[in-house]
Amino acid sequence: MAARKLAALFTAVLHLCLCQITPEPLPEFLAPLENHTVIQGRDVFFTCVVNNLHSYKVAWMKSDSRAILAIHTHLIAHNPRLSVTHNGHNTWKLHVSNVQKNDSGAYMCQINTEPMQSQNGYMEVVIPPDIMDDKSAEGMVTHEGGEIRLKCVATGSPQPTVTWKREDGRNIILREDGQKQSLKTYVGETLELTGVLRQEMGTYLCIASNNVPPTVSKRYSVQVHFPPVIKVTNQLVAAPVESDVVLQCQVEASPQALNTWHQNTGEKLLPSEKYKMSEYALNDYSWQMNLTVNSLEKRDFGEYVCSSVNALGKADGIVHLQELHLVAKTTPSPFVKITDQKPSRKKPILKGRKKNSNSNGRRIHMGSFDDFDSSGNDDDFSTTQIMGGSTLQEGHRTERPLISPSLPPPWVNINTANCRHHLVSITLFFPLFILTMIFVP
């Protein structure tokens, strides 16, 4: 019994000695501290995972300033945007809310061992581009052939790239040392336009980008001033009496001109039932002037003046309005179809001839009625075409005129639906008469 107690005592002492000889495992990091790229104004946090911390402490520092931010869960820095959290096991987090540009830099998670253990993570704060206000954005004005300098200053991190383009998609024209360049886009903060023409006026866009969304742009207005110029496309317009007519002038002017219409007597025309004026913009400096004259009368014909005036000058254009005399159009006699509504069947035909003693030996051909019914077999109705004609000349045959009865028999239908006029006039010139009689049983 005493031996057993002695053995137990010996075992306890040996175990105690072994515990004193074997050291505690040192703390270790389980994962590296991450790096962050964050847009200004957002929130971010660093995560530090440590095993076997025992009685040691975790601290947070900003490496570049060597300032201690927090120890364990106690915040040291007087910064309301900083905070630390612990999950109760092995994870510590440093939170930074509403990050600012000066928050960029290296952050350190360290353990107060001997020697000290630490790891670093880096945070880069990026800033979306922004364009500073500039007076040139309010609108630049020059005379035609002058110069304009547009400046666009952009801020952001990283530094934005500034690109210029025209809002209407046309090219930017650069002139230097007598050389001319036409570019879709131009890169640079300052855009200098020299020898500016009216075609180059409009809106120019300054676009700033640095791969941090969103890309921003700003509109710059360019105005080129010049006196009015009038172009009259149709200087002579003809129209008949009692019709309506539209007279047009195209005006180019900047600044926008006051446009009016006058008669050649100098009388200014005002909107009324007789006259209607309208105009619409073609582009930044061109307008189309329209004058509608309703129900033309004899007194309305003459000269009309379109006038345009602005602060730099005045221009006039003249449109001559003359009467158009309509002439009745003469057309050859149309074909007249005599249609039998009964089913087609062979009809007996009596042919008669009458000799003319005054024919001076000339032979007169008396064609049968069947000669004019060559196409009647194509359908169920027999048709006969009666046409006014001429003689055989140069290989072109035209049938001779036939006598058409003034009133057709009741069984004959004269179809003139394809004729341009309802009244058919056939003039017959015959030295003799041809009589054709048709009997239908």
Side-chain angles (χ1 to χ4, degrees):
M1 187 70 179
R4 288 182 179 179
K5 290 182 180 180
L6 183 62
L9 178 61
F10 179 76
T11 301
V13 171
L14 180 61
H15 180 73
L16 179 61
C17 293
L18 290 174
C19 290
Q20 290 178 350
I21 295 172
T22 305
E24 292 181 346
L26 293 175
E28 60 179 350
F29 295 107
L30 293 186
L33 205 61
E34 66 270 32
N35 297 322
H36 293 284
T37 299
V38 59
I39 298 177
Q40 180 175 266
R42 298 189 178 181
D43 300 339
V44 70
F45 60 85
F46 291 95
T47 302
C48 188
V49 182
V50 182
N51 266 0
N52 304 320
L53 186 61
H54 302 299
S55 60
Y56 295 103
K57 302 293 184 183
V58 172
W60 291 97
M61 296 181 63
K62 190 139 187 291
S63 301
D64 53 358
S65 64
R66 308 301 297 178
I68 299 176
L69 304 178
I71 297 177
H72 206 58
T73 59
H74 180 64
L75 189 66
I76 303 299
H78 298 284
N79 188 340
R81 296 185 294 106
L82 298 179
S83 62
V84 289
T85 59
H86 178 224
N87 68 346
H89 179 49
N90 62 352
T91 303
W92 284 261
K93 291 183 178 181
L94 173 66
H95 299 263
V96 185
S97 62
N98 188 25
V99 295
Q100 300 299 313
K101 182 61 179 175
N102 57 4
D103 293 329
S104 296
Y107 288 78
M108 177 187 297
C109 173
Q110 69 176 20
I111 305 171
N112 61 339
T113 56
E114 187 63 37
M116 181 190 69
Q117 299 183 55
S118 65
Q119 59 180 1
N120 290 288
Y122 191 83
M123 178 169 65
E124 180 185 7
V125 178
V126 295
I127 303 174
D130 191 19
I131 298 176
M132 299 178 63
D133 291 335
D134 189 87
K135 291 183 179 179
S136 62
E138 299 175 0
M140 298 294 290
V141 180
T142 185
H143 61 277
E144 196 162 30
E147 299 180 358
I148 282 182
R149 186 172 184 266
L150 304 177
K151 188 173 183 180
C152 179
V153 178
T155 61
S157 181
Q159 182 62 35
T161 299
V162 175
T163 304
W164 293 90
K165 65 183 296 186
R166 295 186 65 172
E167 189 176 50
D168 57 12
R170 291 186 289 177
N171 286 354
I172 297 174
I173 307 300
L174 299 180
R175 300 176 182 86
E176 186 176 1
D177 299 331
Q179 300 295 322
K180 177 181 175 181
Q181 284 184 296
S182 180
L183 306 174
K184 201 69 178 178
T185 59
Y186 174 79
V187 178
E189 285 191 349
T190 304
L191 176 63
E192 294 187 6
L193 304 175
T194 59
V196 183
L197 302 179
R198 65 189 67 180
Q199 294 83 1
E200 298 166 44
M201 69 187 299
T203 301
Y204 289 71
L205 296 178
C206 160
I207 304 170
S209 62
N210 62 352
N211 295 324
V212 180
T215 297
V216 294
S217 63
K218 197 167 189 176
R219 303 170 80 246
Y220 289 70
S221 176
V222 172
Q223 298 292 326
V224 181
H225 285 180
F226 57 92
V229 176
I230 289 184
K231 299 177 183 178
V232 181
T233 306
N234 298 317
Q235 297 182 356
L236 179 61
V237 179
V241 174
E242 297 182 356
S243 65
D244 300 336
V245 67
V246 179
L247 311 181
Q248 294 181 330
C249 290
Q250 183 175 321
V251 179
E252 293 183 0
S254 179
Q256 184 174 355
L258 176 63
N259 303 321
T260 55
W261 286 91
H262 301 265
Q263 282 187 322
N264 55 352
T265 59
E267 178 185 358
K268 180 179 178 180
L269 301 180
L270 300 176
S272 63
E273 293 184 0
K274 185 69 174 178
Y275 303 110
K276 291 184 179 179
M277 295 86 167
S278 64
E279 60 182 61
Y280 60 91
L282 302 176
N283 53 41
D284 291 336
Y285 57 88
S286 297
W287 289 266
Q288 179 75 52
M289 295 176 58
N290 295 329
L291 171 65
T292 303
V293 184
N294 297 316
S295 302
L296 283 176
E297 304 174 30
K298 292 283 187 181
R299 62 180 181 179
D300 294 326
F301 297 106
E303 292 183 352
Y304 288 81
V305 180
C306 50
S307 180
S308 180
V309 59
N310 67 6
L312 302 179
K314 179 182 179 181
D316 293 326
I318 298 177
V319 182
H320 298 271
L321 177 60
Q322 69 179 25
E323 184 178 358
L324 177 63
H325 298 279
L326 297 180
V327 179
K329 186 176 180 181
T330 303
T331 58
S333 299
F335 293 108
V336 179
K337 290 185 179 181
I338 300 179
T339 304
D340 185 1
Q341 301 297 336
K342 296 182 179 180
S344 175
R345 60 185 178 182
K346 192 171 182 180
K347 307 176 183 62
I349 300 174
L350 296 180
K351 305 175 183 178
R353 295 185 178 180
K354 182 176 181 180
K355 291 184 179 180
N356 190 347
S357 59
N358 298 327
S359 62
N360 297 325
R362 289 180 296 174
R363 183 178 180 181
I364 300 175
H365 173 73
M366 300 297 294
S368 66
F369 191 79
D370 294 335
D371 293 339
F372 301 95
D373 196 23
S374 61
S375 61
N377 297 326
D378 294 337
D379 49 75
D380 294 335
F381 300 96
S382 60
T383 61
T384 302
Q385 293 183 345
I386 302 177
M387 47 189 171
S390 61
T391 60
L392 180 64
Q393 293 180 352
E394 298 182 0
H396 300 282
R397 179 178 179 180
T398 305
E399 299 293 341
R400 295 175 301 167
L402 299 178
I403 298 176
S404 175
S406 59
L407 292 176
W411 64 83
V412 178
N413 176 35
I414 300 179
N415 183 4
T416 61
N418 294 327
C419 297
R420 186 170 296 181
H421 304 284
H422 293 291
L423 298 179
V424 178
S425 174
I426 300 177
T427 305
L428 303 177
F429 298 95
F430 273 92
L432 54 90
F433 295 92
I434 300 174
L435 178 63
T436 301
M437 301 182 63
I438 302 175
F439 295 93
V440 178

